[in-house]
């Protein structure tokens, strides 16, 4: 009888232990599911809002690098891909545009969208103004001759990959007028994209100069922190980006960016070696851009060393 009682007690204790264990496992799993569902719901319900700043250009001026660099700031949320809302996708409407934005957790976070094609599209300034007349506009510019050669280089390699006839800059860039004088080919985008004065004048019909921050792309490439401090101030952000987050890649010849342990570098098409251009063509480009550069300096009340 005693043996039987001992066995019963042991069995009962084991049963109770198993019940307690099962209860604890169930309760912990239940709490985890509650927490996970709450976090997932919270993530899915992050507010999406329109950008308060746009990087509008210029093409081949360093817009992607600038976007990746300013994304190092903890209060900045960026749109990774170019939405082309204000030029090509405007008919899709504001709701579509807002859906392309990243979610934000607090009102003090700054959302930035980048589409370099905005700067040269004559329809964009009015459309941006109608959505937000207080929009902050960031324009990163570089020496127009170097920008033109970079633009031409991208066009060249695009045609090479497509097995199309390859362009020659000296042929594409210039036209001869009725008086026999060589002029800028106004139908060739790698040239007209460098006529900054023509494009900024369209923006200044709607926005004050105070809405703009002009980033020196040549300085940014060599010393990004100098220009990033100006961007932080322009966006009303505290200084947060540190030198240790800017990592120079000696193989690629430009800076990469480290937000945590991961380093983000631009793709292979970025920083690509320019196509060879003769000194005569470079001098001709410089001369043809000279008046446009001076007019651009006058319009923005700032000068650059583009001699």
């Amino acid at each position: 009888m005693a043996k039987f009682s001992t066995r019963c007690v042991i069995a009962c204790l084991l049963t109770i232990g198993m019940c307690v264990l099962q209860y604890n496992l169930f309760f912990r799993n239940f709490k985890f599911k509650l927490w996970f569902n709450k976090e997932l719901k919270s993530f899915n319900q992050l507010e999406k809002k329109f950008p308060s700043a746009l990087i509008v250009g210029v093409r081949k001026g360093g817009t992607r690098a600038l976007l990746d660099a300013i994304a190092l700031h903890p209060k900045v949320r960026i749109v990774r891909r170019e939405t082309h809302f204000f030029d090509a996708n405007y008919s899709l409407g504001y709701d579509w545009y807002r859906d392309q934005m990243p979610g934000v957790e607090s009102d003090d976070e700054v959302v930035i969208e980048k589409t370099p094609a905005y700067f040269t599209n004559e329809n964009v300034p009015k459309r941006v103004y109608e959505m937000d007349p207080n929009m902050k506009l960031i324009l990163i510019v570089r020496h127009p001759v170097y920008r033109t050669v970079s633009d031409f280089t991208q066009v060249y390699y695009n045609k090479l990959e497509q097995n199309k006839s390859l362009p020659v800059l000296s042929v594409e860039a210039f036209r001869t007028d009725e008086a026999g004088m060589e002029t800028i080919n106004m139908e060739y985008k790698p040239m007209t994209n460098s006529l900054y004065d023509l494009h900024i004048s369209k923006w200044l019909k709607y926005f004050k100069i105070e809405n703009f921050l002009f980033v020196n792309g040549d300085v940014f490439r060599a010393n990004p922190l100098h220009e990033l401090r100006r961007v932080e101030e322009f966006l009303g952000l505290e200084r947060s980006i540190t030198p240790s987050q800017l990592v120079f890649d000696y193989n690629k010849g430009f800076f990469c960016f480290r937000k945590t342990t991961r380093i983000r570098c631009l793709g292979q098409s970025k920083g690509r070696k320019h196509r060879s251009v003769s000194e005569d063509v470079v001098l001709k480009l410089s001369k043809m851009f000279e008046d446009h550069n001076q007019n651009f300096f006058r319009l923005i009340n700032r000068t650059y060393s583009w001699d």
Side-chain angles (χ1 to χ4, degrees):
M1 186 70 179
K3 290 184 178 180
F4 176 76
S5 299
T6 301
R7 289 176 181 175
C8 286
V9 171
I10 292 173
C12 288
L13 289 174
L14 288 173
T15 302
I16 293 171
M18 290 298 294
C19 289
V20 171
L21 179 62
Q22 289 291 331
Y23 174 80
N24 285 336
L25 288 174
F26 171 80
F27 187 66
R28 288 178 182 177
N29 187 48
F30 179 73
K31 286 200 298 183
F32 173 76
K33 286 183 176 179
L34 283 178
W35 172 85
F36 180 78
N37 290 335
K38 182 180 178 181
E39 290 297 313
L40 183 63
K41 183 178 180 182
S42 175
F43 177 79
N44 290 333
Q45 289 185 345
L46 286 177
E47 180 189 1
K48 290 190 174 185
K49 63 179 183 179
F50 291 120
S52 54
L54 297 176
I55 299 177
V56 297
V58 298
R59 173 181 161 87
K60 308 308 295 180
T63 57
R64 168 54 60 180
L66 179 61
L67 185 72
D68 286 347
I70 195 60
L72 295 172
H73 198 287
K75 290 297 183 180
V76 169
R77 300 291 176 264
I78 66 170
V79 187
R80 283 288 172 195
R81 69 182 188 88
E82 297 173 8
T83 69
H84 285 275
F85 173 66
F86 293 104
D87 57 340
N89 294 318
Y90 193 65
S91 61
L92 297 178
Y94 286 169
D95 288 341
W96 177 88
Y97 187 45
R98 183 170 46 233
D99 285 342
Q100 311 311 306
M101 300 299 113
V104 297
E105 297 178 350
S106 59
D107 291 338
D108 62 346
E109 291 180 333
V110 176
V111 176
I112 303 176
E113 191 245 318
K114 171 196 82 80
T115 300
Y118 288 163
F119 183 56
T120 57
N121 187 295
E122 62 182 7
N123 297 317
V124 171
K126 182 175 184 290
R127 291 172 177 176
V128 175
Y129 183 83
E130 288 175 346
M131 194 192 82
D132 185 359
N134 297 313
M135 183 71 77
K136 293 178 182 288
L137 305 166
I138 300 173
L139 184 71
I140 179 169
V141 294
R142 61 186 295 201
H143 195 300
V145 173
Y146 302 148
R147 197 222 64 82
T148 299
V149 175
S150 180
D151 204 344
F152 166 76
T153 298
Q154 180 165 321
V155 171
Y156 179 93
Y157 282 108
N158 286 345
K159 290 184 178 294
L160 182 64
E161 291 170 1
Q162 298 165 9
N163 293 318
K164 294 182 178 180
S165 59
L166 301 178
V168 178
L169 184 58
S170 59
V171 174
E172 303 288 347
F174 311 113
R175 285 292 179 267
T176 303
D177 62 18
E178 296 177 354
M181 299 289 293
E182 270 195 321
T183 60
I184 293 172
N185 180 5
M186 298 300 290
E187 296 181 357
Y188 190 55
K189 286 188 175 181
M191 288 291 286
T192 57
N193 287 343
S194 293
L195 305 180
Y196 304 147
D197 62 323
L198 300 186
H199 307 302
I200 195 63
S201 62
K202 294 180 175 64
W203 285 87
L204 293 177
K205 290 179 181 178
Y206 296 93
F207 291 96
K208 297 178 180 178
I209 198 68
E210 289 77 19
N211 287 82
F212 282 90
L213 175 68
F214 298 97
V215 176
N216 188 328
D218 301 311
V219 172
F220 175 74
R221 184 183 178 95
N223 182 14
L225 190 61
H226 179 276
E227 295 300 284
L228 288 172
R229 288 289 183 249
R230 298 181 60 237
V231 177
E232 287 174 322
E233 182 179 358
F234 178 69
L235 297 176
L237 300 170
E238 293 183 358
R239 291 188 173 187
S240 178
I241 300 172
T242 63
S244 63
Q245 294 178 286
L246 310 174
V247 182
F248 190 79
D249 188 313
Y250 287 92
N251 292 323
K252 295 187 175 183
F254 52 75
F255 280 88
C256 302
F257 310 109
R258 173 168 46 209
K259 190 159 191 175
T260 53
T261 56
R262 180 188 174 190
I263 297 177
R264 176 180 288 273
C265 273
L266 299 177
Q268 292 182 350
S269 65
K270 304 296 184 180
R272 182 163 44 193
K273 184 178 180 180
H274 288 171
R275 291 291 300 165
S276 179
V277 177
S278 71
E279 186 65 24
D280 289 343
V281 172
V282 170
L283 291 174
K284 193 182 296 185
L285 289 171
S286 297
K287 184 176 181 181
M288 290 191 176
F289 288 143
E290 186 175 355
D291 288 344
H292 289 281
N293 293 343
Q294 294 302 318
N295 194 37
F296 178 63
F297 300 157
R298 181 184 61 81
L299 289 169
I300 68 172
N301 299 319
R302 181 173 179 175
T303 61
Y304 295 96
S305 300
W306 290 345
D307 298 332

